[in-house]
Amino acid sequence: MKRWITWTAGSALLLGVLVAATAASGLYLAEEKRNRYIDIKPRPAAYTTDVLTIERGRYLYASRGCTDCHGAQGLGREFVNDGRGTRLVGPNITPAGVVARYQPEDWNSAIRHGVKPNGRPVLEMPSDDYSRLTNDDLNALVSYLRQLPAKEGLPAVIDLPRTAWVLYGLGASPDAAARIDHQLAPQRPVPAGVTLANGRYVANMCIGCHGADLAGGKVPGGPADGPQASDLRAGAGSTMARYPHVTSFVAMLRTGKRPDGTPIQAMPFESLGQLSDVDAQALYLYLNTPADSVTKHGMRGSAPAPGTQSSSANAAPSEPG
């Protein structure tokens, strides 16, 4: 009996030492990762005051998730505060905020690559959602942000529990800069329309939470006990089965509720609700298309939806109806 007690106590002590060592190692590696230098050579974003380009930028800002973290006016916003040690605030990105000294290439670095002007990673920003922005759309978004009224706002805040930093350090929760292929060329312009090509382009905004293959699962950077992202791929097990018709899918984007009236948690509906009818219907078409119907060199199966119109890729889509 004494030998068993001694063995149990020794095992518990050893386990405690291993846990403590793992935590210490994770915290050390987290600090290393936060301060690592990422060598990229981003192209400068083009500045313009063209009215149509600014309007396209306004639409992208409103509909691609930017408002959910930075606020409608770009003044910053607290978007997570669970009362248990996790608090995240997106910073002021008006000309009076963190971007005040940005050079043309710094915008590209931060938005597309998740890298600060000093080469360090931007934490808690889903740049993988924006890494495939076309050059025209990046320029439009930046031009819109630069003309926002310069006002005082909120600084960035990243407060996470020790366990979250440990997981980050150990590679279980990588930042966007680690998930992005920085050598990948920007996507070519995609004409607006209810097509697979445009749907795939719009679906890029889902990558940060649902993953590059849209299979869902644990949200990168999210709390361990947070809601899981749904599987958006066409086929068995997909959440898209809830939406047999495009009208029910678009209604969900507008209301944040499933067809049965139950609310959906942890989705950026403030932005999703601003998607144009054309983009929302194109997204539905793409998400309902089996992977084997998407060819290596383009899209097939594109089809117009009743009552929709195509427009230039650089023009601002019509407002949701």
Side-chain angles (χ1 to χ4, degrees):
M1 176 67 81
K2 290 183 179 180
R3 181 178 299 176
W4 181 83
I5 294 175
T6 301
W7 182 87
T8 302
S11 297
L13 178 60
L14 178 59
L15 179 61
V17 170
L18 289 175
V19 170
T22 300
S25 176
L27 291 173
Y28 173 80
L29 291 173
E31 193 64 20
E32 291 285 303
K33 288 185 176 182
R34 291 181 67 181
N35 292 293
R36 74 187 189 277
Y37 179 77
I38 304 170
D39 188 14
I40 58 174
K41 307 250 182 328
R43 63 175 287 279
Y47 296 164
T48 181
T49 57
D50 174 71
V51 174
L52 288 179
T53 302
I54 296 293
E55 180 59 16
R56 173 65 178 175
R58 183 208 63 76
Y59 170 71
L60 291 170
Y61 183 82
S63 65
R64 296 303 196 269
C66 307
T67 58
D68 295 271
C69 295
H70 298 284
Q73 306 302 318
L75 297 175
R77 185 178 195 175
E78 180 183 81
F79 59 95
V80 174
N81 189 344
D82 65 2
R84 295 175 294 170
T86 299
R87 179 171 179 258
L88 304 174
V89 179
N92 176 9
I93 52 174
T94 73
V98 68
V99 300
R101 297 184 180 180
Y102 268 30
Q103 299 302 306
E105 61 272 15
D106 295 336
W107 292 99
N108 193 344
S109 178
I111 295 173
R112 268 206 189 121
H113 298 274
V115 179
K116 297 177 183 179
N118 64 4
R120 308 296 185 243
V122 180
L123 302 181
E124 297 299 336
M125 177 171 171
S127 290
D128 34 356
D129 285 358
Y130 313 118
S131 64
R132 299 296 288 141
L133 281 176
T134 65
N135 286 337
D136 287 343
D137 276 352
L138 176 69
N139 298 340
L141 179 58
V142 170
S143 296
Y144 171 74
L145 292 174
R146 293 186 72 249
Q147 59 82 54
L148 288 174
K151 296 181 180 180
E152 293 300 316
L154 300 174
V157 175
I158 301 178
D159 290 338
L160 298 172
R162 283 170 58 92
T163 52
W165 287 118
V166 170
L167 291 173
Y168 172 67
L170 296 177
S173 183
D175 52 50
R179 300 191 297 265
I180 293 171
D181 180 356
H182 300 287
Q183 304 304 315
L184 198 62
Q187 187 163 321
R188 294 179 179 276
V190 179
V194 184
T195 63
L196 288 178
N198 188 41
R200 181 174 69 169
Y201 185 59
V202 176
N204 286 329
M205 70 179 292
C206 308
I207 290 174
C209 290
H210 294 270
D213 61 356
L214 304 182
K218 183 182 180 301
V219 177
D225 59 349
Q228 299 278 300
S230 299
D231 186 347
L232 300 180
R233 299 170 300 177
S238 173
T239 194
M240 293 303 295
R242 295 176 180 270
Y243 310 99
H245 306 291
V246 66
T247 51
S248 60
F249 178 76
V250 175
M252 177 271 292
L253 297 179
R254 304 282 185 255
T255 66
K257 296 181 179 180
R258 302 180 182 91
D260 63 5
T262 57
I264 301 174
Q265 303 297 324
M267 285 276 284
F269 286 112
E270 186 171 339
S271 293
L272 291 173
Q274 297 302 312
L275 281 174
S276 69
D277 286 338
V278 168
D279 282 353
Q281 292 170 15
L283 178 61
Y284 180 81
L285 175 65
Y286 176 70
L287 294 179
N288 278 285
T289 301
D292 58 7
S293 294
V294 180
T295 68
K296 180 178 179 181
H297 300 290
M299 300 292 164
R300 70 171 183 264
S302 302
T308 61
Q309 296 180 343
S310 297
S311 60
S312 165
N314 293 326
S318 59
E319 288 301 300

